[in-house]
């Protein structure tokens, strides 16, 4: 039996040699890590689907994929190991188990966090002195305030440009090879990247002169190799993007991650929400997600998973792809790093969907991606600053003029700072918070603790409800969120629950539970809540909620709960 044979001590020397080869051959290292990424992602998918395993312990659906990867590997490395399917599959699984790297992005995140801090101090010094850098920085700061939030401080802007300087080459390594017919790449065509280019060009030498830059160059080189290894494997590519976002981002930019509640949404949940939204559109309005005029928005895009999956999960047929991509899909993100990941993720899935449908394709930038604070974007009728971020802000204004039919998202979940010195306070949004006071708080009869009602994900419900309703309150559509589930039982949210029943005809809730604090505090009932679908990324219970706003319905507040 191959599994038993390869598990024996007879192969110890084999694993030692292969581990040694990894240290001198970056391509071999990347190949193993690609196998590790795809195996982990497949295992997670199979757990969600409950698929059976074959006799050798591998998932049956993996055989063909692993073999095709092996074939591609042979093309690169030559040599022709004529192993049958079972031996090859088990060997590759063992190779990952013995030689795969598990803490890759975690380790690099710590390294980059240190270099980022040094870079930030160097940038702070440069923009504080008279000269070109200072002039460009203040233009950038004013445009940033006019684009995202007028309260953005000098320190926050310095941090933003510093993180862009450090991480820019990572995105060049991962996605820089994609060009349009004129040879222009993402950096040339993306409006935010272009807006930041003059300042980053002047400041780039500061990064290259910082202590530890040689470590950064090693990271960039390894990412390029990893990107090439994952390029032909969509499963591994998804896992690579998720690791970059969750592990690297959270470690390298910890304060931002805490403030914004960074977490990657499992694709199984994304797919379920989108298929459910499609069914509810048809049931209530006779529409489908693919139909013309059905505008779809993810206001908290993160890695862009919702829009990317929509392009790849068969809900948008080939004949509707181009129209949807160019005019009816929107994605907002507030953090430049996450924004870049989201845009390239969506662009990659669009390219893959067109090729899979047999359609011609050349690189086309995603026109519905916006760098913006979603909550701030509709606070008032002010004209957004157009000096540096003009094209981006034109997109935001166009989005605000567009009636939205479907909103799907994983809203930010940070409740704000624990004390005055925390530094992770949520922003204040006077118009949005007034709407919360008029509805969720005004309808409350229970707890006087209103702080939780201003949690970011509750704000997201209020914002999305008003966005679907439209300025005249006659809008109709569907909201699909995966969010914290504490609102289902906590007495502080009774006004929120009452408002949902008042404003929506149908409320669908899948209560995924997963309250880790409950499990910790009730030691005798450790399994009462089960696992959390976000793993270690969340200790809170989780719920999937779909809200149908149908002004023509003969009922309202009908609750469907599971």
């Amino acid at each position: 039996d191959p599994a038993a044979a390869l598990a024996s001590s007879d192969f110890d020397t084999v694993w030692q040699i292969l581990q040694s080869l990894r240290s001198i051959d970056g391509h071999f290292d990347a190949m193993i890590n690609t196998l590790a990424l795809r195996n982990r992602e497949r295992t997670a998918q199979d757990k969600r689907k409950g698929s059976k395993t074959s006799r050798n312990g591998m998932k049956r659906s993996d055989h063909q994929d692993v073999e095709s990867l092996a074939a591609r590997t042979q093309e690169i490395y030559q040599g022709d190991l004529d192993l049958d399917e079972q031996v090859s599959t088990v060997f590759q699984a063992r190779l990952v188990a013995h030689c795969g790297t598990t803490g890759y992005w975690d380790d690099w995140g710590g390294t980059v966090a240190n270099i980022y801090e040094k870079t930030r101090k160097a940038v702070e010094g440069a923009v504080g002195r008279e000269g070109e850098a200072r002039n460009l920085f203040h233009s950038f700061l004013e445009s940033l305030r006019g684009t995202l939030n007028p309260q953005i401080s000098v320190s926050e802007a310095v941090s933003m440009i510093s993180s862009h300087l450090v991480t820019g080459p990572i995105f060049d390594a991962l996605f820089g090879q994609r060009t349009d017919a004129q040879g222009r790449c993402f950096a040339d065509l993306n409006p935010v990247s272009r807006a930041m280019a003059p300042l980053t060009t002047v400041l780039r030498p500061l990064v290259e002169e910082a202590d530890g830059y040689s470590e950064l160059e090693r990271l960039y080189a390894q990412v390029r190799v990893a990107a090439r290894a994952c390029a032909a494997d969509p499963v591994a590519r998804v896992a690579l993007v998720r690791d970059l976002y969750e592990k690297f981002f959270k470690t390298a930019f910890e304060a931002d991650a805490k403030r914004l509640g960074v977490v990657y949404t499992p694709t199984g949940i994304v797919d379920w929400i989108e298929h459910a939204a499609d069914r509810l559109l048809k049931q209530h309005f006779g529409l489908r997600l693919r139909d013309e005029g059905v505008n779809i928005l993810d206001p908290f895009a993160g890695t862009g998973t919702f829009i990317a999956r929509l392009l790849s999960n068969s809900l948008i047929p080939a004949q509707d792809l181009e129209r949807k991509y160019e005019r009816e899909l929107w994605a907002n993100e507030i953090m430049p790093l996450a924004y870049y990941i989201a845009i390239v993720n969506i662009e990659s899935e669009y390219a893959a969907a067109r090729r899979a449908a047999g359609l011609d394709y050349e690189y086309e930038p995603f026109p519905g991606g916006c760098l913006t604070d979603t909550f701030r974007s509709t606070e008032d009728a002010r004209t957004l600053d157009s000096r540096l971020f003009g094209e981006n802000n034109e997109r935001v204004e166009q989005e605000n003029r567009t009636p939205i039919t479907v909103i799907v998202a994983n809203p930010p979940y940070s409740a704000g700072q624990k004390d005055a010195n925390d530094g992770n306070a949520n922003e204040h949004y006077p118009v949005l918070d007034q709407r919360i006071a008029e509805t969720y708080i005004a309808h409350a009869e229970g707890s006087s603790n209103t702080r939780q009602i201003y949690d970011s994900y509750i704000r997201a419900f209020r914002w999305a409800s008003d966005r679907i309703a439209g300025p005249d309150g006659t809008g109709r559509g569907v909201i699909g969120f995966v969010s914290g589930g504490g609102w289902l039982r906590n007495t502080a949210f009774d006004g929120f629950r009452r408002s949902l029943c008042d404003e929506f005809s149908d409320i669908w809730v899948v209560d995924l539970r997963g309250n880790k604090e409950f499990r910790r505090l009730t030691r005798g009932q450790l399994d009462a809540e089960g696992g959390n679908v976000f793993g270690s990324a969340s200790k809170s219970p989780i719920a999937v909620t779909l809200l149908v706003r149908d002004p023509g319905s003969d009922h309202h507040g009908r609750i469907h709960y599971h």
Side-chain angles (χ1 to χ4, degrees):
D1 176 68
L6 289 167
S8 74
S9 59
D10 294 345
F11 282 82
D12 285 352
T13 304
V14 173
W15 310 128
Q16 291 169 10
I17 292 172
L18 294 177
Q19 186 70 281
S20 298
L21 283 174
R22 288 187 58 208
S23 66
I24 60 171
D25 186 341
H27 295 281
F28 183 61
D29 178 56
M31 185 198 75
I32 294 177
N33 285 327
T34 299
L35 283 171
L37 287 168
R38 75 165 316 284
N39 285 351
R40 192 189 65 202
E41 185 67 15
R42 284 291 190 204
T43 299
Q45 290 177 6
D46 285 327
K47 283 182 178 178
R48 291 194 294 268
K49 296 175 183 176
S51 64
K52 296 180 179 179
T53 58
S54 61
R55 183 170 61 87
N56 61 21
M58 295 296 291
K59 302 292 181 292
R60 294 185 187 277
S61 61
D62 280 354
H63 284 299
Q64 186 175 355
D65 292 331
V66 172
E67 283 301 304
S68 65
L69 181 61
R72 290 195 297 274
T73 301
Q74 288 174 6
E75 290 176 10
I76 298 172
Y77 301 105
Q78 303 180 18
D80 187 13
L81 298 176
D82 189 21
L83 303 173
D84 66 32
E85 179 183 350
Q86 188 180 15
V87 174
S88 177
T89 301
V90 176
F91 179 82
Q92 290 183 58
R94 286 285 172 185
L95 179 64
V96 168
H98 285 280
C99 302
T101 301
T102 57
Y104 186 81
W105 285 111
D106 309 64
D107 296 341
W108 276 118
T111 300
V112 170
N114 292 330
I115 298 172
Y116 158 74
E117 186 57 33
K118 295 173 184 176
T119 301
R120 191 188 62 77
K121 290 179 179 177
V123 169
E124 197 170 47
V127 301
R129 297 187 295 269
E130 290 290 341
E132 184 181 13
R134 181 178 182 177
N135 295 334
L136 287 171
F137 175 78
H138 280 286
S139 294
F140 167 74
L141 175 61
E142 292 307 309
S143 291
L144 199 61
R145 285 171 173 168
T147 297
L148 293 182
N149 192 317
Q151 305 304 317
I152 288 177
S153 66
V154 170
S155 177
E156 288 170 330
V158 166
S159 296
M160 192 175 293
I161 199 70
S162 300
S163 66
H164 181 72
L165 284 166
V166 170
T167 59
I170 294 176
F171 289 98
D172 291 342
L174 285 172
F175 309 109
Q177 69 276 16
R178 297 177 304 117
T179 58
D180 69 357
Q182 287 76 47
R184 296 172 299 177
C185 67
F186 175 86
D188 301 320
L189 294 169
N190 181 267
V192 174
S193 178
R194 287 207 314 271
M196 298 175 80
L199 181 56
T200 56
T201 300
V202 170
L203 294 175
R204 173 66 58 192
L206 295 178
V207 184
E208 297 172 357
E209 293 166 5
D211 291 341
Y213 181 71
S214 59
E215 283 294 293
L216 266 186
E217 287 186 309
R218 280 207 314 126
L219 168 61
Y220 300 152
Q222 289 197 20
V223 171
R224 280 191 288 272
V225 173
R228 285 197 294 270
C230 290
D233 190 327
V235 177
R237 191 171 64 242
V238 166
L240 180 65
V241 169
R242 183 178 62 204
D243 280 1
L244 174 67
Y245 187 63
E246 278 214 314
K247 296 180 179 178
F248 174 78
F249 184 96
K250 280 184 171 181
T251 306
F253 309 105
E254 184 180 8
D256 288 332
K258 284 183 177 179
R259 180 169 59 88
L260 298 170
V262 170
V263 64
Y264 184 92
T265 314
T267 54
I269 293 176
V270 174
D271 290 347
W272 190 90
I273 288 175
E274 291 179 341
H275 280 84
D278 193 57
R279 288 193 298 271
L280 292 173
L281 274 180
K282 183 180 180 182
Q283 176 185 334
H284 289 268
F285 311 117
L287 298 170
R288 305 299 293 268
L289 291 175
R290 64 174 180 255
D291 289 342
E292 188 167 3
V294 174
N295 296 292
I296 304 165
L297 166 65
D298 179 354
F300 316 103
T303 62
T305 308
F306 276 89
I307 301 300
R309 292 298 296 175
L310 189 60
L311 292 166
S312 63
N313 63 14
S314 77
L315 287 171
I316 310 295
Q319 64 268 27
D320 299 310
L321 271 173
E322 186 173 356
R323 184 195 75 248
K324 218 71 190 173
Y325 182 79
E326 291 183 352
R327 300 200 299 273
E328 297 175 349
L329 299 178
W330 300 91
N332 296 346
E333 177 51 44
I334 190 173
M335 286 299 300
L337 177 60
Y339 162 84
Y340 289 134
I341 297 175
I343 300 304
V344 295
N345 200 13
I346 292 166
E347 291 173 353
S348 296
E349 287 302 335
Y350 177 63
R354 286 191 66 90
R355 293 189 182 111
L359 301 173
D360 293 335
Y361 173 77
E362 65 178 44
Y363 173 51
E364 299 175 37
F366 176 52
C370 301
L371 177 69
T372 186
D373 181 342
T374 290
F375 295 151
R376 179 72 55 184
S377 68
T378 53
E379 272 292 288
D380 51 49
R382 77 189 192 285
T383 300
L384 296 170
D385 189 285
S386 60
R387 281 170 292 179
L388 289 182
F389 295 96
E391 186 180 344
N392 175 77
N393 295 343
E394 286 174 11
R395 290 183 180 184
V396 175
E397 291 174 342
Q398 182 183 350
E399 179 193 303
N400 286 342
R401 292 191 298 268
T402 301
I404 298 297
T405 316
V406 175
I407 294 176
V408 287
N410 173 7
Y413 59 79
S414 172
Q417 67 198 79
K418 295 177 181 177
D419 58 60
N421 298 316
D422 190 335
N424 280 322
N426 294 125
E427 304 290 350
H428 294 289
Y429 304 95
V431 175
L432 179 59
D433 291 350
Q434 179 61 31
R435 287 287 294 140
I436 289 174
E438 294 169 353
T439 54
Y440 302 162
I441 293 177
H443 291 161
E445 295 179 357
S447 170
S448 60
N449 178 14
T450 61
R451 188 181 74 88
Q452 296 178 73
I453 307 302
Y454 292 97
D455 189 298
S456 294
Y457 85 88
I458 299 297
R459 275 181 169 148
F461 274 99
R462 181 67 273 159
W463 185 90
S465 301
D466 291 339
R467 187 67 176 87
I468 289 288
D472 59 1
T474 61
R476 61 180 191 170
V478 175
I479 298 169
F481 280 171
V482 54
S483 71
W487 64 270
L488 283 167
R489 297 175 179 82
N490 192 323
T491 56
F493 296 96
D494 64 343
F496 172 66
R497 293 190 293 268
R498 185 183 301 274
S499 294
L500 292 186
C501 289
D502 288 344
E503 296 178 37
F504 294 94
S505 55
D506 288 83
I507 301 158
W508 298 76
V509 178
V510 180
D511 182 3
L512 298 175
R513 306 187 75 176
N515 188 336
K516 291 188 177 180
E517 289 301 313
F518 173 84
R519 294 175 65 197
R520 182 179 63 82
L521 294 172
T522 54
R523 295 178 183 276
Q525 305 178 50
L526 289 180
D527 295 323
E529 284 282 333
N532 189 296
V533 292
F534 286 103
S536 61
S538 175
K539 295 181 179 180
S540 303
I542 303 297
V544 173
T545 309
L546 288 115
L547 306 171
V548 179
R549 180 181 171 82
D550 183 2
S553 174
D554 59 2
H555 66 268
H556 68 275
R558 181 176 290 172
I559 299 168
H560 313 259
Y561 173 89
H562 177 68

